Amino acid sequence: MNDTMPPCPECSGTYTYEMGALLVVCPECGHEWSPTPSEAPAGESGEKVVKDAVGNVLQDGDTVTVVKALKVKGSPSGIKAGTKVRGIKLVDGVDGHDIDCRIEGFGNMQLKSSVVKKA
């Protein structure tokens, strides 16, 4: 029940809420819709902001450090905490994996921004 959410276009209900980044829901009538840019909550711009595990904003080309050990399928040893990854690329990946990178000894892979820290 956010004051910045638009009223429902079906029933004019005022108790709408955001469900995910692309959907607004009305609990009174059950109507779901995508907000227009003018209806988007305050502070959101058209560009997605990706933050690391401690809240630093990441950009393409940054160098990051892995903050916890990661298991890798098909590898007897995973990626150790403290591994530096240079030249990341931010992508809209699958299942929260929003960093595309190349890790020495493992090759190309995608990481979640929640497991890295800006170096």
Side-chain angles (χ1 to χ4, degrees), residues 1 11 17 24 27 33 42-43 49 62 64 79 89 91-92 112:
M1 293 50 127
C11 70
Y17 61 93
V24 178
W33 73 98
V49 176
D62 282 346
V64 295
I79 299 171
K89 181 179 177 184
V91 295
D92 289 329
K112 292 183 178 182

Side-chain angles (χ1 to χ4, degrees), residues 47-51 58-62 87-102 108-114:
E47 196 171 311
K48 182 179 173 186
V49 176
V50 178
K51 295 185 179 182
L58 296 174
Q59 297 177 351
D60 285 344
D62 282 346
I88 65 169
K89 181 179 177 184
L90 302 178
V91 295
D92 289 329
V94 178
D95 198 28
H97 294 82
D98 45 12
I99 297 175
D100 199 17
C101 62
R102 176 167 171 70
N108 294 336
M109 61 176 39
Q110 290 189 340
L111 298 173
K112 292 183 178 182
S113 58
S114 61

